[in-house]
Each structure stands twice: as C-alpha cells, then as structure tokens.
Amino acid sequence: MAGQDYTGALPLRLLAEQFAKLPGIGMKTAQRLAYFVMSYSDEEAKAFADAILHAHKTVHSCKICQNLTDREICPICSDAGRDRSTICVVEGPKDVSAFERTREYKGMYHVLHGLISPIDGITPDKLRITELLKRLQGGEVKEVIMATNPTPEGEATAMYLSRLLKPLGVKVTRLAFGLPVGAILEYADEVTLYKALENRNEI
Amino acid sequence: MAGQDYTGALPLRLLAEQFAKLPGIGMKTAQRLAYFVMSYSDEEAKAFADAILHAHKTVHSCKICQNLTDREICPICSDAGRDRSTICVVEGPKDVSAFERTREYKGMYHVLHGLISPIDGITPDKLRITELLKRLQGGEVKEVIMATNPTPEGEATAMYLSRLLKPLGVKVTRLAFGLPVGAILEYADEVTLYKALENRNEI
C-alpha cells in the first residue's frame, strides 16, 4: 500500500496526476494542489470542475482571426471601431492579450496557434496560415505585422510568412527589437544591443 | 471588450480564476494553464473535471488516524503488519507521505490537520486532538512521536500536546533536529548548528 508516491487515496493520486499534466507543475506541486482542493466546499469543487467543462465546451477559434472566443466572431473582429487594414500576426492567444494591454494597437490580429518548428513536427500546414491568406483576398488589408517572438522559430515563421505574403502586394513588417524601455546598456545582452544599434533612428 | 485582463472569452477568464485560487499560482500562470486546458480533447477535459469531483466526493478523513482516504479506515490503519504501540503525530497528509517514503517507519500516524496558531484563529479545538486522545484510551499506545515542523507553530503544538499526553502515562518524543545528511557545517544556520550541538550523541 505504501509506495513511492503514497498519497493516502487513489482518487487523490488521480487528481494529482491531472494537475501534473499541466505545464510547469511537477508531481510535488500537483499533490499540494490536490490536497488543497480537498479543503474546498462542495460548491467550490463543483465550480472548478464546471469551469473546466464549460470553457472547454464553449471556447473555440474565432472564424476570422483564430483567437479563442466563446462567440462565432470574437469581440475584436466584430468591433466596428478597429482598423481593418492592419493585421498583427501572433503565435498564440496570450500574445493578443499582451498587445491589448498596451491599449495602443487598434488593428486586427491573426493567431497562428504555434510557430514553424520542423524538429517538433510543426510544419506550416499545422498553423492557421490558409485562414490568414483568405483574409488577404479582399484587398482591404494593407499591412501585416509579424509579431512572433525573437526566437529561432519566431524568426523562421516571420521569414516564411513574409516570403509568402509579399507577392500578394501587401506590406509586411516586423516588430522592432532593441533595448527594452528602462534597461541599462551595461546589462543588455549582445544580440539585443546589436539589434538596437542596427535599428537606430535619427533624433 | 478589451480590458486589463483581456483573455478573449469569459469562460476562459472564469477558468483562469479557478486556477488562480490554488496556492502558489498567480493570474499569469493561471491564464497559461487555462489556455493549456483548451488544447485538451473532450475526454481529457472530462477526465480532469471528473478527477476533481470524484476526489472531492470520495476522499475524507480516516476514522482512526484522520489522514485523507477513500475508505472508512485508511490502508495504514487497517494494515495488520504495523506497530500499533507507536503513533507519529503530523501536521498534514503530505507529512505522512514524506515518512512513508523513508520506508523505515512501521508505526501508526495521527494527522492534526493544522498546527496551533492563535494569530490565525487556529486554537487546539480546531485540530484533531480529541481523536488522538481517544486512541490513547485503550492502553495499547506506548509512544507518541511529535513530528511537527521545527517552526514556532510546530514547536508550540508539540509542547501543548506533550503536556496534554504525558499525564496519561504515554512516552512523548520529538523528532531529532540537527545537521541534514550531506550538509556542510559552514553553511548551516546557527539554530540548526546549535540543535546539532545540543543533541550530540556519543560515538
């Protein structure tokens, strides 16, 4: 009965295993979370389980931008006040949240749901690229901003899409990389510093 | 629609809030976990929700040792091979797991479900102390080991129980505190070093 992972009860171990499936949560943390849920009232436990089922059932990709939403068309795509001539292409839904927090960007988004990474088996056909091309057909879109991370996969995806989209007559831009605001030169890594130098602006 | 915590969809935000209720999980991690659950298949999402409900419904305190279990009497208390003359008193179920991992302790346990901490409103009557006293009535128990953490609350609880139990004619012991195995003297904190000196043994 007393094993390496003794947790007192099988249902508790099963719950801990569910928590351990989540990214960044190891078995020890997962056990702690499972014990914590045991201190919930019946209503709280039900609310947690229902939140999982409800979110999983009702949330899907927006038909236009592919961001996660519980409507057919997400609030951003259905907002008449936004600039439809610009599409910001991002890796995932959390990048949309990040840009929205700036409260400055008023254009549209397109969520790829991943980055090209052949080593992980993620080829361009696994991403929502066809859906992006379809949005460019009307001629309404003037600029596509590549807002993928400055990682090898992010750069490769931006490059790939840029080559794919330019022949369609659309302006393709890339996020500026340089010193983060408030940074101290001395502590900046060399790649960032090089990017900051390369992309310098006249003042 | 686009707020400070824009998550694209209300059900997603509700799920993230559920994750954020768990100890050690902030809102940013909670959002990441909620997005991750969106990548689950229907079966996986259902398994997660069911694990919560099932564990919460079936797991309760063992009638004897108060550890969490899905049976009336937990596997340790119903194990005929264990030494019923010794009870190891611990703060919570995860401490039982820790002792079981040593594979050396063969006695019984008693889980207090907390430590005395008047500042947090945890008075002795909030802990499973009555249940412990009941176990000592038969005269079968010869030794009670206080295995609470070496924190102020753990020490206070051990002291309190020791004064309560000694008059009943039972031997009350405390875990040894000293240098952890593999530690280097130079880096040990002064309290640990003092404890190691104080509890020195003849060799």
Side-chain angles (χ1 to χ4, degrees):
Chain A
M1 292 292 159
Q4 198 108 23
D5 279 314
Y6 184 80
T7 54
L10 181 64
L12 255 184
R13 187 153 67 223
L14 295 179
L15 177 55
E17 278 166 12
Q18 287 292 338
F19 280 123
K21 277 174 68 181
L22 299 171
I25 295 188
M27 200 54 205
K28 217 152 186 178
T29 304
Q31 276 184 24
R32 201 160 42 91
L33 299 183
Y35 283 129
F36 187 79
V37 170
M38 293 303 101
S39 72
Y40 278 13
S41 68
D42 286 356
E43 290 72 35
E44 285 176 310
K46 196 173 171 305
F48 191 5
D50 283 350
I52 293 169
L53 294 175
H54 185 63
H56 192 265
K57 205 176 99 183
T58 58
V59 176
H60 47 78
S61 298
C62 166
K63 275 182 83 170
I64 299 175
C65 74
Q66 311 296 319
N67 192 10
L68 294 176
T69 179
D70 54 344
R71 315 186 195 180
E72 197 182 352
I73 309 291
C74 79
I76 293 178
C77 286
S78 50
D79 184 346
R82 298 192 72 123
D83 173 14
R84 267 146 224 284
S85 70
T86 312
I87 294 180
C88 178
V89 177
V90 295
E91 175 184 350
K94 47 182 170 285
D95 302 319
V96 174
S97 306
F99 277 106
E100 285 301 293
R101 276 196 297 270
T102 69
R103 295 167 184 271
E104 291 295 336
Y105 180 70
K106 297 294 174 207
M108 314 304 284
Y109 294 97
H110 192 84
V111 178
L112 294 172
H113 288 277
L115 293 173
I116 298 173
S117 176
I119 212 164
D120 302 311
I122 308 177
T123 44
D125 59 294
K126 300 258 166 59
L127 307 179
R128 310 286 171 91
I129 294 174
T130 325
E131 291 83 352
L132 175 61
L133 292 174
K134 222 178 95 190
R135 294 177 73 182
L136 302 180
Q137 278 169 5
E140 197 183 19
V141 179
K142 303 297 174 213
E143 181 179 356
V144 177
I145 306 168
M146 292 298 151
T148 51
N149 280 318
T151 55
E153 292 79 16
E155 291 291 354
T157 307
M159 267 306 159
Y160 175 90
L161 283 177
S162 158
R163 283 184 199 159
L164 198 67
L165 303 185
K166 270 186 186 159
L168 305 176
V170 72
K171 187 176 164 193
V172 181
T173 56
R174 182 92 175 96
L175 283 187
F177 296 110
L179 285 176
V181 177
I184 294 165
L185 268 180
E186 193 181 340
Y187 299 120
D189 66 286
E190 49 262 61
V191 184
T192 301
L193 211 49
Y194 173 70
K195 289 266 187 189
L197 198 61
E198 191 183 44
N199 300 327
R200 66 190 178 279
N201 299 305
E202 209 171 320
I203 54 169
Chain B
M1 294 295 159
Q4 197 107 23
D5 278 314
Y6 185 80
T7 53
L10 181 64
L12 255 184
R13 187 153 69 224
L14 294 179
L15 177 55
E17 278 166 11
Q18 286 293 337
F19 280 124
K21 276 174 68 180
L22 299 171
I25 294 188
M27 201 55 205
K28 217 152 188 179
T29 304
Q31 276 185 23
R32 202 161 41 90
L33 299 183
Y35 283 130
F36 187 79
V37 170
M38 293 302 101
S39 71
Y40 278 13
S41 69
D42 286 356
E43 290 72 36
E44 286 176 310
K46 198 174 170 303
F48 191 4
D50 284 350
I52 293 169
L53 294 175
H54 186 63
H56 192 266
K57 205 177 98 184
T58 59
V59 177
H60 46 79
S61 297
C62 166
K63 275 181 83 170
I64 300 175
C65 74
Q66 310 296 319
N67 192 11
L68 295 176
T69 178
D70 54 344
R71 314 187 195 179
E72 198 183 351
I73 309 290
C74 79
I76 293 179
C77 287
S78 50
D79 183 345
R82 297 191 73 123
D83 173 15
R84 267 146 223 284
S85 70
T86 312
I87 295 181
C88 178
V89 176
V90 295
E91 176 183 351
K94 45 183 171 288
D95 302 318
V96 174
S97 306
F99 278 106
E100 286 300 294
R101 276 195 298 271
T102 69
R103 294 168 186 271
E104 290 295 335
Y105 180 69
K106 297 294 174 209
M108 315 306 282
Y109 294 97
H110 192 83
V111 178
L112 295 172
H113 289 277
L115 293 173
I116 299 173
S117 176
I119 212 164
D120 302 311
I122 309 176
T123 44
D125 58 294
K126 299 258 166 57
L127 307 178
R128 312 285 172 92
I129 293 174
T130 326
E131 290 83 351
L132 175 61
L133 292 174
K134 222 177 96 189
R135 293 177 73 181
L136 301 180
Q137 279 168 5
E140 197 184 18
V141 180
K142 304 294 174 216
E143 181 179 354
V144 176
I145 306 168
M146 293 299 149
T148 51
N149 280 318
T151 56
E153 292 80 14
E155 292 291 353
T157 308
M159 267 305 156
Y160 176 88
L161 284 177
S162 158
R163 283 185 198 159
L164 199 68
L165 303 185
K166 269 185 187 160
L168 306 176
V170 71
K171 186 176 164 193
V172 182
T173 56
R174 182 91 177 98
L175 283 187
F177 296 109
L179 284 176
V181 177
I184 294 164
L185 266 181
E186 194 181 339
Y187 298 121
D189 67 285
E190 48 262 61
V191 183
T192 302
L193 211 51
Y194 174 70
K195 289 266 187 191
L197 198 60
E198 191 183 42
N199 301 327
R200 65 190 180 276
N201 298 306
E202 209 172 321
I203 53 169

